[in-house]
Amino acid sequence: MGLIWSLIVGGVIGAIAGAITNKGGSMGIIANVVAGLIGSAIGQSLLGNWGPSLAGMAIVPSIIGAVILVAIVSFFFGKKA
């Protein structure tokens, strides 16, 4: 049950990061989960484990880390208009 809860929280964090960076429409469910989980690891390693946490992920640093991840990935792999 812990793995499912982590995937759900990671997906929500990834969706929030996509909404903040205006890239949420181009990301799918799997990309949201991956961005949330990897962004959580990045954010917690850079900023620590402060603030409220769900499923072992500190929410605020995780969202900041996911925003950084989505911005970097969209910069390198985003569609050129």
Side-chain angles (χ1 to χ4, degrees):
M1 190 65 182
L3 176 66
I4 295 171
W5 184 242
S6 295
L7 292 175
I8 291 170
V9 172
V12 170
I13 290 171
I16 292 170
I20 291 172
T21 59
N22 293 325
K23 302 293 181 192
S26 63
M27 293 173 47
I29 295 171
I30 303 296
N32 282 337
V33 172
V34 170
L37 293 176
I38 295 174
S40 175
I42 291 170
Q44 289 183 25
S45 66
L46 292 176
L47 302 172
N49 292 329
W50 54 273
S53 67
L54 283 172
M57 294 178 247
I59 300 300
V60 177
S62 297
I63 291 172
I64 294 170
V67 166
I68 292 170
L69 177 69
V70 169
I72 290 172
V73 169
S74 67
F75 177 75
F76 287 112
F77 296 110
K79 295 180 181 178
K80 306 290 189 247

Coordinates of all heavy atoms in Angstrom, one line a residue:
M1 N 0.8 -1.2 0.0 CA 0.0 0.0 0.0 C 0.9 1.3 0.0 O 0.5 2.3 -0.5 CB -0.9 0.0 1.2 CG -2.0 1.0 1.2 SD -3.1 0.7 -0.2 CE -4.2 2.1 0.0
G2 N 2.0 1.2 0.6 CA 2.9 2.3 0.6 C 3.4 2.8 -0.7 O 3.6 4.0 -1.0
L3 N 3.7 1.8 -1.6 CA 4.1 2.1 -3.0 C 3.0 2.8 -3.7 O 3.3 3.8 -4.5 CB 4.5 0.8 -3.7 CG 4.9 1.0 -5.2 CD1 6.2 1.8 -5.3 CD2 5.1 -0.3 -5.8
I4 N 1.8 2.4 -3.6 CA 0.7 3.0 -4.3 C 0.5 4.4 -3.8 O 0.3 5.3 -4.6 CB -0.6 2.2 -4.1 CG1 -0.4 0.8 -4.8 CG2 -1.8 2.9 -4.7 CD1 -1.6 -0.2 -4.5
W5 N 0.6 4.6 -2.5 CA 0.4 6.0 -1.9 C 1.5 6.9 -2.4 O 1.3 8.0 -2.7 CB 0.4 5.8 -0.4 CG 0.2 7.1 0.3 CD1 1.0 7.7 1.1 CD2 -1.0 7.9 0.2 NE1 0.5 8.9 1.6 CE2 -0.8 9.0 1.1 CE3 -2.2 7.8 -0.4 CZ2 -1.7 10.0 1.3 CZ3 -3.1 8.9 -0.3 CH2 -2.9 9.9 0.6
S6 N 2.8 6.4 -2.5 CA 3.9 7.2 -3.0 C 3.7 7.6 -4.5 O 4.0 8.7 -4.9 CB 5.2 6.4 -2.9 OG 5.5 6.2 -1.6
L7 N 3.1 6.7 -5.3 CA 2.9 6.9 -6.7 C 1.8 8.0 -6.9 O 1.9 8.9 -7.7 CB 2.5 5.7 -7.5 CG 3.6 4.6 -7.6 CD1 3.0 3.4 -8.3 CD2 4.8 5.2 -8.4
I8 N 0.7 7.9 -6.0 CA -0.3 8.9 -6.1 C 0.2 10.3 -5.7 O -0.1 11.3 -6.4 CB -1.5 8.4 -5.2 CG1 -2.2 7.2 -5.7 CG2 -2.5 9.6 -5.0 CD1 -3.2 6.6 -4.8
V9 N 0.9 10.4 -4.6 CA 1.4 11.6 -4.1 C 2.4 12.2 -5.1 O 2.5 13.4 -5.5 CB 2.1 11.5 -2.7 CG1 2.8 12.8 -2.3 CG2 1.0 11.2 -1.7
G10 N 3.3 11.3 -5.7 CA 4.2 11.7 -6.8 C 3.5 12.3 -8.0 O 3.9 13.3 -8.6
G11 N 2.4 11.6 -8.4 CA 1.6 12.1 -9.5 C 1.0 13.5 -9.2 O 1.0 14.3 -10.1
V12 N 0.5 13.7 -8.0 CA -0.1 15.0 -7.7 C 1.0 16.1 -7.7 O 0.8 17.2 -8.2 CB -0.8 14.9 -6.3 CG1 -1.2 16.3 -5.8 CG2 -2.0 14.0 -6.4
I13 N 2.2 15.8 -7.1 CA 3.3 16.7 -7.1 C 3.7 17.0 -8.5 O 3.9 18.2 -8.9 CB 4.5 16.2 -6.3 CG1 4.1 16.2 -4.8 CG2 5.7 17.0 -6.5 CD1 5.1 15.5 -3.9
G14 N 3.8 16.0 -9.4 CA 4.1 16.3 -10.8 C 3.1 17.1 -11.5 O 3.4 18.0 -12.3
A15 N 1.8 16.9 -11.2 CA 0.7 17.7 -11.8 C 0.8 19.1 -11.4 O 0.6 20.0 -12.2 CB -0.6 17.0 -11.5
I16 N 1.1 19.3 -10.1 CA 1.2 20.7 -9.6 C 2.4 21.4 -10.3 O 2.3 22.6 -10.7 CB 1.4 20.7 -8.1 CG1 0.1 20.3 -7.4 CG2 1.8 22.1 -7.6 CD1 0.2 20.0 -5.9
A17 N 3.5 20.7 -10.4 CA 4.7 21.3 -11.1 C 4.4 21.6 -12.5 O 4.8 22.6 -13.1 CB 5.9 20.3 -11.0
G18 N 3.7 20.7 -13.2 CA 3.3 21.0 -14.6 C 2.4 22.2 -14.7 O 2.5 22.9 -15.7
A19 N 1.5 22.3 -13.8 CA 0.6 23.5 -13.8 C 1.3 24.8 -13.5 O 1.1 25.8 -14.1 CB -0.5 23.3 -12.7
I20 N 2.3 24.8 -12.6 CA 3.1 25.9 -12.3 C 3.9 26.4 -13.5 O 4.1 27.5 -13.8 CB 4.0 25.7 -11.1 CG1 3.1 25.6 -9.8 CG2 5.0 26.8 -10.9 CD1 3.8 25.2 -8.6
T21 N 4.5 25.4 -14.2 CA 5.4 25.7 -15.4 C 4.6 25.8 -16.7 O 5.2 26.0 -17.7 CB 6.5 24.7 -15.5 OG1 5.9 23.4 -15.7 CG2 7.4 24.6 -14.3
N22 N 3.3 25.7 -16.7 CA 2.4 25.7 -17.9 C 2.8 24.6 -18.8 O 2.6 24.7 -20.0 CB 2.5 27.0 -18.6 CG 1.9 28.1 -17.7 OD1 0.9 27.9 -17.1 ND2 2.4 29.3 -17.8
K23 N 3.3 23.4 -18.3 CA 3.6 22.3 -19.2 C 2.7 21.1 -18.9 O 3.0 20.0 -19.3 CB 5.1 21.9 -19.0 CG 6.1 22.9 -19.3 CD 6.1 23.3 -20.8 CE 7.1 24.4 -21.0 NZ 7.0 24.9 -22.4
G24 N 1.7 21.3 -18.0 CA 0.9 20.2 -17.6 C 0.1 19.6 -18.7 O -0.2 18.4 -18.7
G25 N -0.3 20.3 -19.7 CA -1.1 19.8 -20.8 C -0.3 18.8 -21.7 O -0.9 17.9 -22.3
S26 N 1.0 19.0 -21.7 CA 1.8 18.1 -22.6 C 2.4 16.9 -21.8 O 2.9 16.0 -22.4 CB 3.0 18.9 -23.2 OG 3.9 19.4 -22.1
M27 N 2.2 16.9 -20.5 CA 2.6 15.7 -19.7 C 1.5 14.8 -19.5 O 0.4 15.2 -19.2 CB 3.2 16.2 -18.4 CG 4.4 17.1 -18.5 SD 5.0 17.8 -17.0 CE 4.9 16.5 -15.8
G28 N 1.8 13.5 -19.6 CA 0.8 12.5 -19.3 C 0.9 12.0 -17.8 O 1.6 12.6 -17.0
I29 N 0.1 11.0 -17.5 CA 0.0 10.6 -16.1 C 1.4 10.0 -15.7 O 1.9 10.3 -14.6 CB -1.1 9.5 -15.9 CG1 -2.4 10.1 -16.2 CG2 -1.0 8.8 -14.6 CD1 -3.6 9.2 -16.2
I30 N 2.0 9.2 -16.5 CA 3.3 8.6 -16.2 C 4.4 9.7 -16.0 O 5.2 9.6 -15.1 CB 3.7 7.6 -17.3 CG1 2.7 6.5 -17.5 CG2 5.1 7.0 -17.0 CD1 2.4 5.6 -16.3
A31 N 4.4 10.7 -16.9 CA 5.3 11.7 -16.8 C 5.1 12.5 -15.5 O 6.1 13.0 -14.9 CB 5.2 12.7 -18.0
N32 N 3.9 12.7 -15.1 CA 3.6 13.4 -13.8 C 4.2 12.6 -12.6 O 4.7 13.2 -11.7 CB 2.1 13.6 -13.6 CG 1.6 14.8 -14.4 OD1 2.3 15.7 -14.8 ND2 0.3 14.8 -14.7
V33 N 3.9 11.3 -12.6 CA 4.4 10.5 -11.5 C 6.0 10.5 -11.5 O 6.6 10.7 -10.4 CB 3.9 9.1 -11.7 CG1 4.6 8.1 -10.6 CG2 2.4 9.0 -11.5
V34 N 6.6 10.4 -12.7 CA 8.1 10.4 -12.7 C 8.6 11.7 -12.3 O 9.6 11.8 -11.5 CB 8.5 10.0 -14.1 CG1 10.0 10.2 -14.3 CG2 8.2 8.5 -14.4
A35 N 8.0 12.8 -12.8 CA 8.5 14.2 -12.4 C 8.3 14.4 -10.9 O 9.1 15.0 -10.3 CB 7.7 15.2 -13.2
G36 N 7.2 13.9 -10.4 CA 6.9 14.1 -8.9 C 7.9 13.3 -8.1 O 8.5 13.8 -7.1
L37 N 8.2 12.0 -8.5 CA 9.1 11.2 -7.7 C 10.6 11.7 -7.8 O 11.3 11.8 -6.8 CB 9.0 9.8 -8.1 CG 7.7 9.1 -7.8 CD1 7.6 7.7 -8.3 CD2 7.4 9.1 -6.3
I38 N 11.0 12.0 -9.0 CA 12.4 12.5 -9.2 C 12.5 13.9 -8.6 O 13.5 14.2 -8.0 CB 12.8 12.4 -10.7 CG1 12.9 10.9 -11.1 CG2 14.2 13.0 -10.9 CD1 13.1 10.7 -12.6
G39 N 11.5 14.7 -8.9 CA 11.5 16.1 -8.3 C 11.6 16.1 -6.8 O 12.2 16.9 -6.2
S40 N 10.9 15.1 -6.2 CA 10.9 15.0 -4.8 C 12.3 14.7 -4.3 O 12.7 15.3 -3.3 CB 9.9 13.9 -4.3 OG 10.0 13.7 -2.9
A41 N 13.0 13.8 -4.9 CA 14.3 13.5 -4.5 C 15.3 14.7 -4.7 O 16.1 15.0 -3.8 CB 14.8 12.3 -5.3
I42 N 15.1 15.4 -5.8 CA 15.9 16.6 -6.0 C 15.7 17.7 -5.0 O 16.6 18.2 -4.4 CB 15.7 17.1 -7.5 CG1 16.2 16.1 -8.5 CG2 16.3 18.5 -7.6 CD1 15.8 16.5 -9.9
G43 N 14.4 17.9 -4.8 CA 14.0 19.0 -3.9 C 14.5 18.7 -2.4 O 14.9 19.6 -1.7
Q44 N 14.3 17.4 -2.0 CA 14.7 17.1 -0.6 C 16.2 17.1 -0.5 O 16.7 17.4 0.6 CB 14.0 15.8 -0.2 CG 12.5 15.9 0.0 CD 11.9 14.6 0.4 OE1 12.6 13.8 1.0 NE2 10.6 14.5 0.2
S45 N 16.9 16.7 -1.5 CA 18.4 16.7 -1.4 C 18.9 18.2 -1.4 O 19.9 18.5 -0.7 CB 19.0 15.9 -2.5 OG 18.8 16.5 -3.8
L46 N 18.3 19.1 -2.1 CA 18.7 20.5 -2.1 C 18.2 21.3 -0.9 O 18.9 22.1 -0.4 CB 18.2 21.2 -3.4 CG 18.8 20.7 -4.7 CD1 18.2 21.4 -5.9 CD2 20.3 20.9 -4.7
L47 N 17.0 21.0 -0.5 CA 16.3 21.9 0.5 C 16.0 21.2 1.8 O 15.6 21.9 2.7 CB 15.0 22.4 -0.1 CG 15.1 23.2 -1.4 CD1 13.7 23.5 -2.0 CD2 15.9 24.5 -1.2
G48 N 16.2 19.9 1.9 CA 15.9 19.2 3.2 C 14.5 18.8 3.3 O 13.7 18.8 2.3
N49 N 14.2 18.3 4.5 CA 12.8 17.7 4.7 C 12.0 18.6 5.6 O 11.3 18.1 6.5 CB 13.0 16.3 5.4 CG 13.6 15.3 4.5 OD1 13.5 15.4 3.3 ND2 14.4 14.4 5.0
W50 N 11.9 19.8 5.3 CA 11.1 20.7 6.1 C 9.6 20.8 5.6 O 9.4 20.5 4.4 CB 11.7 22.1 6.2 CG 12.0 22.7 4.9 CD1 13.1 22.6 4.2 CD2 11.2 23.6 4.1 NE1 13.1 23.3 3.0 CE2 11.9 23.9 2.9 CE3 9.9 24.1 4.3 CZ2 11.3 24.8 2.0 CZ3 9.4 25.0 3.3 CH2 10.1 25.3 2.2
G51 N 8.7 21.2 6.4 CA 7.3 21.4 6.0 C 6.6 20.1 6.2 O 7.1 19.0 6.6
P52 N 5.3 20.1 5.8 CA 4.5 18.9 5.9 C 4.9 17.8 5.0 O 5.5 18.1 3.9 CB 3.1 19.4 5.6 CG 3.3 20.6 4.8 CD 4.5 21.2 5.3
S53 N 4.7 16.6 5.3 CA 5.1 15.5 4.4 C 4.0 14.5 4.3 O 3.2 14.3 5.2 CB 6.4 14.8 5.0 OG 6.1 14.1 6.1
L54 N 3.9 13.9 3.1 CA 3.0 12.8 2.8 C 3.8 11.7 2.1 O 4.6 12.0 1.3 CB 1.9 13.2 1.8 CG 0.8 14.0 2.4 CD1 -0.1 14.6 1.3 CD2 -0.1 13.2 3.3
A55 N 3.6 10.5 2.5 CA 4.2 9.3 1.9 C 5.7 9.4 1.9 O 6.4 9.0 1.0 CB 3.7 9.1 0.5
G56 N 6.3 10.0 2.9 CA 7.7 10.2 3.1 C 8.3 11.3 2.2 O 9.5 11.4 2.1
M57 N 7.5 12.1 1.6 CA 7.9 13.2 0.8 C 7.5 14.5 1.4 O 6.3 14.7 1.7 CB 7.3 13.1 -0.6 CG 7.8 11.9 -1.4 SD 7.0 11.9 -3.0 CE 6.0 10.5 -2.9
A58 N 8.5 15.4 1.7 CA 8.2 16.7 2.2 C 7.6 17.5 1.0 O 8.2 17.6 -0.1 CB 9.5 17.4 2.7
I59 N 6.4 18.0 1.2 CA 5.6 18.6 0.1 C 6.2 19.8 -0.6 O 6.4 19.8 -1.8 CB 4.2 18.9 0.6 CG1 3.5 17.7 1.2 CG2 3.3 19.6 -0.5 CD1 3.3 16.6 0.2
V60 N 6.6 20.8 0.2 CA 7.1 22.1 -0.4 C 8.4 21.8 -1.1 O 8.5 22.2 -2.3 CB 7.2 23.2 0.7 CG1 7.8 24.4 0.1 CG2 5.8 23.4 1.3
P61 N 9.4 21.2 -0.5 CA 10.7 20.9 -1.3 C 10.4 20.0 -2.5 O 11.1 20.2 -3.5 CB 11.6 20.3 -0.3 CG 11.1 20.7 1.1 CD 9.6 20.8 0.9
S62 N 9.5 19.1 -2.4 CA 9.2 18.2 -3.5 C 8.6 19.0 -4.7 O 9.0 18.7 -5.8 CB 8.2 17.1 -3.1 OG 8.8 16.3 -2.1
I63 N 7.7 19.9 -4.4 CA 7.1 20.7 -5.5 C 8.2 21.6 -6.1 O 8.2 21.7 -7.4 CB 5.9 21.5 -5.0 CG1 4.8 20.6 -4.6 CG2 5.5 22.5 -6.0 CD1 3.6 21.2 -3.9
I64 N 9.0 22.2 -5.3 CA 10.1 23.1 -5.9 C 11.0 22.2 -6.7 O 11.4 22.6 -7.8 CB 10.8 23.8 -4.7 CG1 9.9 24.8 -4.0 CG2 12.0 24.5 -5.3 CD1 10.4 25.4 -2.8
G65 N 11.4 21.0 -6.2 CA 12.3 20.2 -7.0 C 11.6 19.7 -8.3 O 12.3 19.6 -9.4
A66 N 10.3 19.4 -8.3 CA 9.6 19.0 -9.5 C 9.5 20.1 -10.5 O 9.6 19.9 -11.7 CB 8.3 18.4 -9.1
V67 N 9.3 21.3 -10.0 CA 9.3 22.5 -10.9 C 10.6 22.7 -11.6 O 10.7 22.9 -12.8 CB 8.8 23.8 -10.1 CG1 9.1 25.0 -10.9 CG2 7.4 23.7 -9.7
I68 N 11.7 22.6 -10.8 CA 13.0 22.7 -11.4 C 13.2 21.6 -12.5 O 13.7 21.9 -13.6 CB 14.1 22.6 -10.3 CG1 14.0 23.8 -9.4 CG2 15.5 22.4 -10.9 CD1 14.9 23.7 -8.1
L69 N 12.8 20.4 -12.1 CA 13.0 19.2 -13.1 C 12.2 19.5 -14.4 O 12.7 19.3 -15.5 CB 12.6 17.9 -12.4 CG 12.7 16.7 -13.3 CD1 14.1 16.4 -13.6 CD2 12.0 15.5 -12.7
V70 N 10.9 19.8 -14.2 CA 10.1 20.1 -15.4 C 10.6 21.2 -16.2 O 10.6 21.1 -17.5 CB 8.6 20.3 -15.0 CG1 7.8 20.8 -16.1 CG2 8.0 19.0 -14.4
A71 N 11.1 22.3 -15.6 CA 11.6 23.4 -16.4 C 12.9 23.0 -17.1 O 13.0 23.4 -18.3 CB 11.9 24.6 -15.4
I72 N 13.8 22.2 -16.5 CA 15.0 21.8 -17.2 C 14.7 20.9 -18.3 O 15.2 21.0 -19.5 CB 16.0 21.2 -16.2 CG1 16.5 22.3 -15.3 CG2 17.1 20.5 -16.9 CD1 17.3 21.7 -14.1
V73 N 13.8 19.9 -18.1 CA 13.5 18.9 -19.2 C 12.8 19.6 -20.3 O 13.1 19.3 -21.5 CB 12.6 17.8 -18.6 CG1 12.1 16.9 -19.7 CG2 13.5 16.9 -17.6
S74 N 11.8 20.5 -20.0 CA 11.1 21.2 -21.1 C 12.0 22.2 -21.9 O 11.8 22.4 -23.0 CB 9.9 22.0 -20.6 OG 10.3 23.0 -19.7
F75 N 13.1 22.7 -21.2 CA 14.0 23.5 -21.9 C 14.8 22.7 -22.9 O 15.0 23.2 -24.1 CB 15.0 24.2 -20.9 CG 16.1 25.0 -21.5 CD1 15.8 26.3 -22.0 CD2 17.4 24.5 -21.7 CE1 16.8 27.1 -22.6 CE2 18.4 25.3 -22.3 CZ 18.0 26.6 -22.7
F76 N 15.3 21.5 -22.6 CA 16.1 20.7 -23.5 C 15.2 19.9 -24.5 O 15.6 19.8 -25.6 CB 17.0 19.8 -22.7 CG 18.1 20.5 -22.1 CD1 18.2 20.6 -20.7 CD2 19.1 21.1 -22.8 CE1 19.2 21.2 -20.1 CE2 20.2 21.7 -22.2 CZ 20.2 21.8 -20.9
F77 N 14.1 19.5 -24.1 CA 13.3 18.6 -24.9 C 11.9 19.2 -25.4 O 11.2 18.5 -26.0 CB 13.0 17.2 -24.2 CG 14.2 16.5 -23.9 CD1 14.7 16.3 -22.6 CD2 15.0 15.9 -25.0 CE1 15.8 15.6 -22.3 CE2 16.2 15.2 -24.7 CZ 16.6 15.1 -23.4
G78 N 11.7 20.4 -25.0 CA 10.4 21.0 -25.4 C 10.3 21.3 -26.9 O 11.3 21.4 -27.6
K79 N 9.1 21.4 -27.4 CA 8.9 21.7 -28.8 C 9.3 23.1 -29.1 O 8.9 24.0 -28.4 CB 7.5 21.4 -29.2 CG 7.1 19.9 -29.1 CD 5.6 19.7 -29.5 CE 5.3 18.3 -29.3 NZ 3.9 18.0 -29.6
K80 N 10.0 23.3 -30.2 CA 10.3 24.6 -30.6 C 9.2 25.2 -31.5 O 8.7 24.6 -32.4 CB 11.6 24.6 -31.5 CG 12.8 23.9 -30.8 CD 13.3 24.8 -29.7 CE 14.6 24.2 -29.1 NZ 14.5 23.7 -27.8
A81 N 8.6 26.3 -31.1 CA 7.5 26.9 -31.8 C 7.9 27.9 -32.9 O 8.9 28.5 -32.8 CB 6.5 27.5 -30.8

